[in-house]
Amino acid sequence: MFNFKSFAFGALMFLALLPEAKAQSSIYTVNVNVDVTDVNAAVAREKAMSSAYRQAFDIVVRKLTTAQDAAKLNEMTDDQIINFVKEISVVSEKSSNVRYIATLQVTLNEAILKAYLQEKDIQTAVADKSKIVVIPIFREFESDRPLLWEKQNMWLAAWQQKSARENLIEIVAIPDTPISQAEITAEQAQTYDTAALQEVALNNNANDVYVADAVFDGIEGLKITLTSLKSEQAAEVIRIAGDRNMAEYLLAQGVIEVSKKIENKIKNANIAQSKMQSSISAIYNYEKLSDWINAEKQLKSVPYVRRVQVDAMGAGKVQMRIDFVGNDERIWAALRNKGFNLKQYDNFYLLEY
């Protein structure tokens, strides 16, 4: 049984209100907004703090796991949630006699949160940021020509109004620019033109591209057929029930449901990857010891890397074992994003930075 008091306070329960917020350093640090009115400013501020803790907790947990697992923690009390808070800083604030308004930066305690999620058997995804581009094509009737860049595309307009959420998975509509319009047409998206979709992914630095084909489903609402460039699975159909006269509502709900579907698919894939444990042997050449110290620091900050064990060191060489989670393709991509390069020689790798 997870003991909040012995673990949280014994580990390092540090809570401080600072005059200025530091830059966010990890997924465990988030900004939240509070606006509370009560009998006086002191009470309003106290309630605002509880609201900030809960918002931060919800945001971070939503980043780390699926919506279904995050929902399991909805019943936690304010007294329980405060045990996960490591630090809170003030970005901006103002108050009256009965009101407190602020933007606060909240940092959760990574060790405590991870231990608690493990205790509750809640699987977490590898902390790796993803960008997904959605191409929203639209038809009023199944037999209509699909729309993409036309002004009549209400589905694209709904995606353009989508508010940004603080999440490891960034889901955005394809930008309405001359470059994008030259890359792909509605017909190419509908017929799944792989070359065009790959160009969209490349030019937007996206991990994947989804085509979201929306059509009014008679009088039943909205039907969305969702297809991924990288997924080998068949297209998925999402239905939004409602009167088609409520087009704005149906399309807005469609954006929400498609976003949820994509987020959960990626998180489930990342959770599966997190269960895969592997290692490689590598050699790193350096001229100065400080070069290796810097490289090691960067190496340990790479997503998926769990441990760097130095087996031998001397004469400008470091022989090491790198333990990581996920498959080789993911660790190579993560290393490249941090400026590393791996060259394979027989049963070991040469690591360059």
Side-chain angles (χ1 to χ4, degrees):
M1 186 75 178
F2 193 92
N3 188 311
F4 278 108
K5 290 184 178 179
S6 62
F7 189 85
F9 290 101
L12 57 97
M13 187 56 196
F14 173 64
L15 184 62
L17 279 170
L18 304 177
E20 293 185 4
K22 301 175 183 177
Q24 292 191 26
S25 59
S26 76
I27 62 171
Y28 296 90
T29 298
V30 296
N31 282 2
V32 296
N33 298 313
V34 291
D35 184 349
V36 179
T37 300
D38 215 293
V39 292
N40 58 55
V43 174
R45 186 173 181 276
E46 183 179 352
K47 289 187 176 181
M49 292 300 120
S50 295
S51 173
Y53 304 152
R54 185 171 291 277
Q55 287 184 60
F57 182 82
D58 290 343
I59 291 170
V60 172
V61 169
R62 192 178 65 224
K63 289 179 183 180
L64 294 173
T65 191
T66 63
Q68 293 88 339
D69 279 340
K72 297 176 183 178
L73 305 175
N74 286 343
E75 301 303 317
M76 294 186 68
T77 67
D78 291 343
D79 288 340
Q80 289 176 313
I81 286 178
I82 196 174
N83 287 286
F84 296 99
V85 179
K86 178 182 179 182
E87 182 177 309
I88 180 167
S89 307
V90 176
V91 177
S92 63
E93 67 177 350
K94 56 183 178 179
S95 62
S96 67
N97 292 335
V98 296
R99 190 178 182 187
Y100 180 78
I101 305 172
T103 297
L104 304 170
Q105 188 176 100
V106 183
T107 300
L108 300 191
N109 190 304
E110 179 179 353
I112 294 175
L113 181 56
K114 283 184 174 179
Y116 183 74
L117 294 178
Q118 185 177 10
E119 171 75 15
K120 294 297 181 182
D121 197 27
I122 292 177
Q123 299 293 327
T124 57
V126 173
D128 191 20
K129 197 167 182 64
S130 301
K131 181 180 181 182
I132 306 299
V133 170
V134 175
I135 302 177
I137 58 176
F138 175 70
R139 293 167 292 154
E140 286 202 41
F141 300 95
E142 290 276 2
S143 58
D144 287 349
R145 180 180 67 84
L147 305 176
L148 177 53
W149 305 117
E150 294 83 353
K151 292 182 179 179
Q152 302 95 315
N153 187 353
M154 299 182 289
W155 183 220
L156 175 60
W159 275 94
Q160 290 170 336
Q161 294 168 13
K162 176 179 180 286
S163 58
R165 289 201 313 165
E166 193 163 2
N167 204 316
L168 281 174
I169 303 169
E170 180 187 5
I171 302 174
V172 297
I174 185 171
D176 188 354
T177 64
I179 293 176
S180 296
Q181 292 176 21
E183 286 173 348
I184 194 164
T185 65
E187 287 77 11
Q188 286 176 306
Q190 187 182 43
T191 57
Y192 199 65
D193 187 322
T194 303
L197 293 173
Q198 288 174 339
E199 188 173 359
V200 171
L202 179 64
N203 291 337
N204 288 277
N205 195 27
N207 300 82
D208 201 357
V209 175
Y210 279 77
V211 176
D213 183 358
V215 59
F216 286 125
D217 190 14
I219 59 173
E220 300 299 323
L222 186 71
K223 182 179 78 171
I224 305 162
T225 304
L226 193 63
T227 309
S228 161
L229 171 63
K230 291 189 175 181
S231 175
E232 297 178 355
Q233 298 178 349
E236 298 181 82
V237 175
I238 300 171
R239 297 183 184 273
I240 312 296
D243 191 326
R244 69 177 296 170
N245 292 323
M246 303 163 57
E248 187 174 338
Y249 165 80
L250 293 175
L251 294 166
Q253 285 299 116
V255 171
I256 292 172
E257 293 305 317
V258 167
S259 298
K260 286 181 180 177
K261 175 69 72 173
I262 294 173
E263 285 181 9
N264 280 329
K265 282 173 67 70
I266 294 173
K267 286 177 181 175
N268 282 324
N270 285 345
I271 287 171
Q273 287 281 342
S274 298
K275 296 177 181 178
M276 297 174 58
Q277 306 287 332
S278 190
S279 65
I280 57 174
S281 296
I283 292 176
Y284 177 81
N285 296 320
Y286 64 89
E287 293 184 4
K288 298 181 296 184
L289 183 59
S290 59
D291 294 337
W292 161 243
I293 293 173
N294 181 51
E296 183 183 31
K297 180 180 178 181
Q298 293 300 318
L299 189 58
K300 289 180 177 179
S301 71
V302 173
Y304 308 109
V305 170
R306 288 295 172 262
R307 189 171 75 151
V308 178
Q309 178 177 312
V310 176
D311 296 325
M313 186 174 182
K317 296 182 184 294
V318 177
Q319 182 179 330
M320 76 193 85
R321 191 181 80 233
I322 303 172
D323 297 333
F324 61 94
V325 296
N327 58 25
D328 290 349
E329 180 183 351
R330 287 201 168 189
I331 188 63
W332 289 340
L335 286 169
R336 285 194 298 271
N337 288 338
K338 284 287 187 175
F340 288 97
N341 184 40
L342 275 178
K343 294 181 179 179
Q344 187 169 8
Y345 295 92
D346 297 327
N347 61 343
F348 74 94
Y349 292 85
L350 178 64
L351 180 69
E352 299 175 335
Y353 180 62

